[in-house]
Amino acid sequence: MATVMGYVEKIKFRNEENGYSVLSVQDGREDYILVGTFPYISEGERIEATGRMVEHSLYGEQLAVEHYEIKPPEDAAAVERYLASGVIKGVGAALAKRIVKKFKADTFRIMEEEPERLSEVKGISERMALEICAQVGEKRDMRQAMVFLQQYGLTMNLALKIYQQYGPRLYSVIQENPYRLADDIQGVGFKIADEIAARVGIFTDSDYRIKSGLFYTLLQAVGNGHTCLPEDALFKNASELLGVEPAHMEKHLMDLQMEKKLVVKEKAGDRFVYPARFFYMELNAARMLHDLNIEAPAPEEKLKRRLEEILAGEKLSLDPLQEQAVREAVSHGLLIVTGGPGTGKTTTINTILRYFEKEEMEILLAAPTGRAAKRMTEATGYEARTIHRLLEITGIPKTDTGRPGAEDKNGGIEGGLEGMHFERNEQNPLDADVIIIDEMSMVDITLLHALLRAVNVGTRLILVGDVNQLPSVGPGNVLRDIIESEKFPVVKLTKIFRQAAQSDIIVNAHKIHAGERVTLEKRSKDFLFIRRAQPADIFRDMLTLVREKLPNYVDAEISEIQIMTPMRKGLLGVEQLNRRLQECLNPPAPDKAEKENGGTVFRVGDKVMQIKNDYQIAWEIRGRHGIPVERGEGVFNGDMGVVREVDPFAETLTVEFDEGRMVEYSFKQLEELELAYAITIHKSQGSEYPAVVIPIYPGPHMLMTRNLIYTAITRAKACVCLVGIPEVFHAMVDNETEQKRYSGLKDRILEIL
């Protein structure tokens, strides 16, 4: 550890949001560069800082500050330097000189205790004297608050947020009810508030603690896909968290309802508890679905003639269910089309598109992810966008939630993404006659609600998806709830068409869905099972398939063949597989730059995946000589690419995504990426690969389920290879367990209708 004491000569850089700064500090003999979080520090101030000396590749030696204190100026010259730095608004070098000449080393005491005396200095009125005093007091108060908050183990960033939220009231908030922080401040959850409360000495059965713990438990359930919980489950989970008996919680549940944080609804004798924002989202979504569901029957003769014309022109034929879907789309404002692989969803949608084309209607297509939108574009010939792009996501904050008139304390879009909102809404709806959304199984309640707000009554909305796929990662059970309500037109495509029936992938996917026995001994050109019992043997064979056998077989690059696994942990989980596959497929080399981040090495040539939505990161498509020909913003969860450059001097890593989009990440942004030689089956939703390889090895019962293996197999376009233990595969097909997902959209639809 090293310590530097001196004067802040210059602030070279400052991030106003979090206080991260680069300071030039002079101790009278040497200049030092200090980096760290310094909220409200000013040029001219005297600082004592402790930290580690580090060597920056471009800027040389720096002190990475871990602790610092602002010291009062030592003498009159130091006071003058401080005041002349501009730290006090309205006081420049000349005025600072006159103040110090008048009061000398007593200047600070005069400012704090007798500010009216500053008016004795030429050029300072009584009003200005009081303004100077207020500024000095504010800076003193902020520093005292930082010292106070840091004793509770808070980071400087969090301490700064707390001070900005409460000002002088923070002392009473911390000492009386620190759980307020979890409600009021982004980045403070129940656990941080609970740690502060323990240090303050608040009892474990405090009313504040129990209420905060109940609400935190409910929000944890939202993170696991639920929009509500049965009251008994809520009390049980909260009891385990708080160490408090459920009997003490009933009255606090009532208090939270009075505060409009929760909604409690009864169903079939049970009570279900919702965070208020998700209850009102589901309620509003149900109302908007009802409003869109307008019947507008088309003249039968016209419909029949137009349909015959399209089918003849496209050389297509439809089965009765497909034809029904076209008729429902024409005569209803809302339609849901669902079906498994090979049942003709694409043909149906293309026919619907051609019908509305001939009616000269404005048509928009979208899907939840970039990869799903790309597939939709390829299948229809129409440009499809992500739903986020369709709704024109933007970085300008806007307060809005599912409940009218409610303030969104997350400051974000429907799901609470800080600083984001959709430009398209009821005031600025989508300009379209027909909107078709694919891969609806991936859409959660927050995205559905945002979409419905932007769809005018009178616009046709067609929702397409396979209800048997894994549910959305986000909260809700949207597609299943809408279908099971039985209140809207739904067409379930069931016939497997002749061409599709020649594919064992499609035939076996339907067998899996039905719980039927899949014959693994059969020789097949597109569905292969390789029996191996040991993880080492499974890995070896998967590597051989990816590196040697499959690329030529399916006419694809190695990078296009995807290994998918049920688990993150374990010998055949994502983390271990990616490390070993990287060693084999992209080993270190003198000409391959690399960067280690959080235990993961990113190397030029690595296959990587974006693991969170980043709506503001810039991308560009480069033409000849690397000159950008197109620019845009946004990379989304599940987007996959290849590392093209690692620049240790600029501290950047460049990834090439689909369509040649080049994205430059700073080293600080690398937590948004992970290696993608292997991915979880959950992450594969909405994607399609020439070939997929899946290890079949024992894992947690709740994870090794029928709809998981169904989802995995249906991601393969030309070939699926399973490597492992047949008995485990059959057990997965037999395991109908689906993690129970509590949601209320179906109930809200039934209430309204």
Side-chain angles (χ1 to χ4, degrees):
M1 299 292 280
T3 299
V4 169
M5 183 182 288
Y7 295 95
V8 179
E9 185 178 38
K10 187 171 181 59
I11 299 176
K12 291 177 169 287
F13 169 80
R14 162 167 282 161
N15 182 324
E16 296 296 342
E17 290 184 9
N18 58 26
Y20 178 83
S21 307
V22 179
L23 312 178
S24 174
V25 173
Q26 191 177 57
D27 71 354
R29 299 182 305 278
E30 289 187 58
D31 290 337
Y32 296 91
I33 299 296
L34 276 58
V35 294
T37 303
F38 306 95
Y40 295 130
I41 201 166
S42 304
E43 291 176 358
E45 292 194 291
R46 186 162 167 260
I47 183 174
E48 182 179 358
T50 303
R52 294 174 294 104
M53 282 294 184
V54 295
E55 188 71 27
H56 190 279
S57 57
L58 275 183
Y59 305 114
E61 191 174 56
Q62 300 176 339
L63 183 71
V65 175
E66 296 177 8
H67 174 77
Y68 77 94
E69 288 182 41
I70 303 295
K71 298 288 188 180
E74 291 178 302
D75 51 31
V79 173
E80 184 179 336
R81 183 193 293 112
Y82 173 70
L83 294 176
S85 69
V87 66
I88 305 294
K89 191 177 178 182
V91 178
L95 192 51
K97 190 177 186 70
R98 292 202 297 274
I99 293 171
V100 175
K101 185 177 179 182
K102 174 73 176 175
F103 300 115
K104 299 184 175 54
D106 208 25
T107 299
F108 263 129
R109 189 195 65 76
I110 294 292
M111 284 181 164
E112 292 182 358
E113 298 176 13
E114 303 175 73
E116 68 281 354
R117 287 191 59 194
L118 290 174
S119 61
E120 298 173 19
V121 177
K122 184 182 177 182
I124 300 181
S125 64
E126 286 188 15
R127 180 179 174 183
M128 186 178 179
L130 292 174
E131 286 175 357
I132 291 172
C133 172
Q135 289 185 62
V136 171
E138 184 183 348
K139 291 180 180 299
R140 182 190 62 239
D141 292 346
M142 186 278 298
R143 287 181 192 132
Q144 288 173 350
M146 293 296 111
V147 171
F148 172 77
L149 292 169
Q150 283 180 306
Q151 70 180 307
Y152 295 107
L154 295 171
T155 65
M156 192 68 76
N157 285 359
L158 220 45
L160 179 58
K161 280 187 180 180
I162 293 168
Y163 180 76
Q164 289 171 335
Q165 175 76 23
Y166 300 118
R169 294 185 296 118
L170 71 88
Y171 301 99
S172 59
V173 169
I174 293 289
Q175 290 169 339
E176 293 171 16
N177 178 19
Y179 296 100
R180 273 189 62 184
L181 273 61
D183 291 340
D184 296 343
I185 298 173
Q186 186 83 14
V188 179
F190 170 79
K191 291 192 174 178
I192 290 175
D194 205 32
E195 286 173 11
I196 296 171
R199 294 189 186 204
V200 171
I202 290 174
F203 294 119
T204 55
D205 62 353
S206 151
D207 289 354
Y208 295 133
R209 182 172 185 265
I210 293 174
K211 283 198 296 183
S212 185
L214 277 167
F215 195 62
Y216 171 79
T217 301
L218 208 49
L219 293 183
Q220 288 293 103
V222 168
N224 291 325
H226 309 291
T227 60
C228 60
L229 276 183
E231 186 181 78
D232 290 348
L234 173 62
F235 285 170
K236 178 178 178 290
N237 295 347
S239 175
E240 291 172 1
L241 172 75
L242 297 167
V244 173
E245 287 299 314
H248 296 298
M249 296 178 188
E250 185 72 45
K251 86 175 191 71
H252 299 298
L253 198 64
M254 180 65 72
D255 290 342
L256 287 165
Q257 290 179 75
M258 298 290 287
E259 293 169 17
K260 298 186 177 178
K261 286 185 175 182
L262 303 182
V263 173
V264 179
K265 296 289 286 185
E266 288 202 18
K267 184 176 77 169
D270 291 324
R271 282 159 55 93
F272 288 83
V273 185
Y274 298 75
R277 64 175 294 157
F278 288 99
F279 174 82
Y280 288 108
M281 259 187 216
E282 290 186 327
L283 181 63
N284 284 349
R287 175 185 55 77
M288 290 185 284
L289 287 166
H290 166 263
D291 292 347
L292 289 171
N293 188 30
I294 298 170
E295 286 194 34
E300 177 59 31
E301 271 306 309
K302 178 188 173 184
L303 200 158
K304 185 177 179 183
R305 187 175 65 252
R306 180 61 53 82
L307 198 50
E308 287 172 353
E309 183 185 324
I310 293 166
L311 295 177
E314 299 287 329
K315 295 184 174 57
L316 291 173
S317 63
L318 301 181
D319 82 338
L321 285 173
Q322 288 177 304
E323 186 172 326
Q324 181 193 343
V326 178
R327 289 174 174 276
E328 297 280 9
V330 172
S331 57
H332 286 87
L334 177 66
L335 171 66
I336 296 90
V337 179
T338 185
T343 56
K345 292 195 296 294
T346 299
T347 301
T348 305
I349 295 309
N350 279 330
T351 308
I352 291 170
L353 279 170
R354 303 297 169 255
Y355 189 100
F356 290 129
E357 259 181 1
K358 290 185 178 294
E359 294 288 304
E360 297 184 347
M361 290 186 171
E362 186 70 28
I363 305 168
L364 293 175
L365 273 60
T369 66
R371 295 182 77 88
K374 184 180 177 185
R375 284 179 61 201
M376 198 178 188
T377 299
E378 292 167 351
T380 63
Y382 261 79
E383 182 195 357
R385 287 173 274 177
T386 65
I387 299 173
H388 291 89
R389 284 280 173 233
L390 183 74
L391 299 178
E392 296 176 19
I393 194 160
T394 181
I396 303 169
K398 182 177 183 180
T399 56
D400 199 351
T401 64
R403 181 161 52 91
E407 181 179 352
D408 182 357
K409 291 181 179 174
N410 289 321
I413 67 168
E414 306 287 341
L417 292 169
E418 191 174 7
M420 295 287 166
H421 84 279
F422 293 119
E423 288 290 335
R424 294 291 184 171
N425 50 40
E426 48 273 88
Q427 281 81 44
N428 182 27
L430 292 164
D431 185 15
D433 301 304
V434 181
I435 298 170
I436 303 177
I437 308 294
D438 199 8
E439 295 287 355
M440 273 300 297
S441 63
M442 299 176 68
V443 174
D444 62 22
I445 187 61
T446 59
L447 196 53
L448 176 74
H449 184 263
L451 172 68
L452 293 176
R453 287 178 59 197
V455 180
N456 261 336
V457 173
T459 300
R460 286 176 171 82
L461 180 62
I462 300 168
L463 308 177
V464 185
D466 183 348
V467 75
N468 300 307
Q469 298 278 359
L470 291 168
S472 60
V473 174
N477 219 356
V478 166
L479 184 60
R480 190 178 295 272
D481 277 358
I482 293 173
I483 291 171
E484 289 184 356
S485 73
E486 298 182 349
K487 294 297 181 183
F488 305 112
V490 176
V491 177
K492 298 181 181 179
L493 303 176
T494 55
K495 179 182 176 182
I496 303 176
F497 285 86
R498 186 175 62 188
Q499 187 176 353
Q502 295 170 3
S503 164
D504 285 326
I505 295 174
I506 290 172
V507 170
N508 287 336
H510 284 273
K511 284 185 176 181
I512 289 167
H513 169 58
E516 296 174 9
R517 194 78 170 175
V518 174
T519 305
L520 301 181
E521 291 75 18
K522 177 184 172 185
R523 292 184 64 83
S524 168
K525 67 179 188 301
D526 63 359
F527 189 95
L528 312 172
F529 197 104
I530 300 170
R531 289 166 171 72
R532 296 291 180 266
Q534 298 304 317
D537 297 332
I538 293 172
F539 176 80
R540 185 194 64 235
D541 280 18
M542 288 198 304
L543 180 62
T544 302
L545 286 165
V546 170
R547 188 162 56 182
E548 300 170 23
K549 304 290 187 185
L550 287 173
N552 287 335
Y553 187 67
V554 297
D555 190 23
E557 300 292 325
I558 289 176
S559 61
E560 295 178 284
I561 296 162
Q562 190 59 57
I563 291 178
M564 301 191 311
T565 177
M567 297 165 285
R568 289 201 63 84
K569 304 292 184 184
L571 293 172
L572 295 171
V574 162
E575 294 171 8
Q576 287 270 30
L577 283 176
N578 272 320
R579 270 194 289 272
R580 297 183 65 191
L581 288 165
Q582 183 189 45
E583 289 171 11
C584 299
L585 299 175
N586 190 31
D591 61 337
K592 290 181 183 176
E594 59 183 50
K595 168 64 180 173
E596 188 273 336
N597 183 74
T600 298
V601 173
F602 294 102
R603 184 176 298 131
V604 170
D606 275 338
K607 185 177 177 181
V608 294
M609 174 185 277
Q610 177 82 7
I611 57 170
K612 60 185 283 192
N613 291 333
D614 189 331
Y615 304 99
Q616 292 175 307
I617 195 167
W619 56 261
E620 60 185 30
I621 297 173
R622 299 170 184 170
R624 292 183 64 188
H625 312 300
I627 298 170
V629 295
E630 186 180 342
R631 286 190 169 95
E633 291 182 342
V635 182
F636 300 98
N637 188 358
D639 284 357
M640 294 175 73
V642 177
V643 177
R644 295 302 184 200
E645 183 182 8
V646 177
D647 188 336
F649 299 104
E651 297 193 346
T652 60
L653 179 146
T654 302
V655 177
E656 181 178 358
F657 289 100
D658 290 341
E659 298 166 346
R661 291 176 301 140
M662 307 296 285
V663 179
E664 192 175 90
Y665 294 81
S666 72
F667 283 174
K668 289 179 183 174
Q669 293 174 293
L670 294 184
E671 71 276 359
E672 295 185 14
L673 294 172
E674 68 179 23
L675 295 175
Y677 297 101
I679 63 173
T680 62
I681 294 167
H682 279 87
K683 284 286 188 184
S684 73
Q685 284 179 274
S687 299
E688 187 175 69
Y689 308 95
V692 300
V693 181
I694 308 164
I696 303 295
Y697 193 73
H701 180 75
M702 288 296 292
L703 199 58
M704 310 293 282
T705 62
R706 179 184 297 175
N707 69 336
L708 190 86
I709 194 65
Y710 173 84
T711 300
I713 284 169
T714 55
R715 298 307 91 203
K717 191 173 183 179
C719 186
V720 61
C721 297
L722 302 108
V723 186
I725 304 171
E727 290 76 18
V728 173
F729 173 81
H730 293 309
M732 290 181 79
V733 175
D734 292 341
N735 183 6
E736 293 183 80
T737 306
E738 287 186 41
Q739 190 174 2
K740 177 66 178 172
R741 183 167 281 210
Y742 296 106
S743 62
L745 180 60
K746 175 183 172 182
D747 299 318
R748 305 292 81 77
I749 291 169
L750 294 175
E751 286 172 1
I752 285 176
L753 298 176

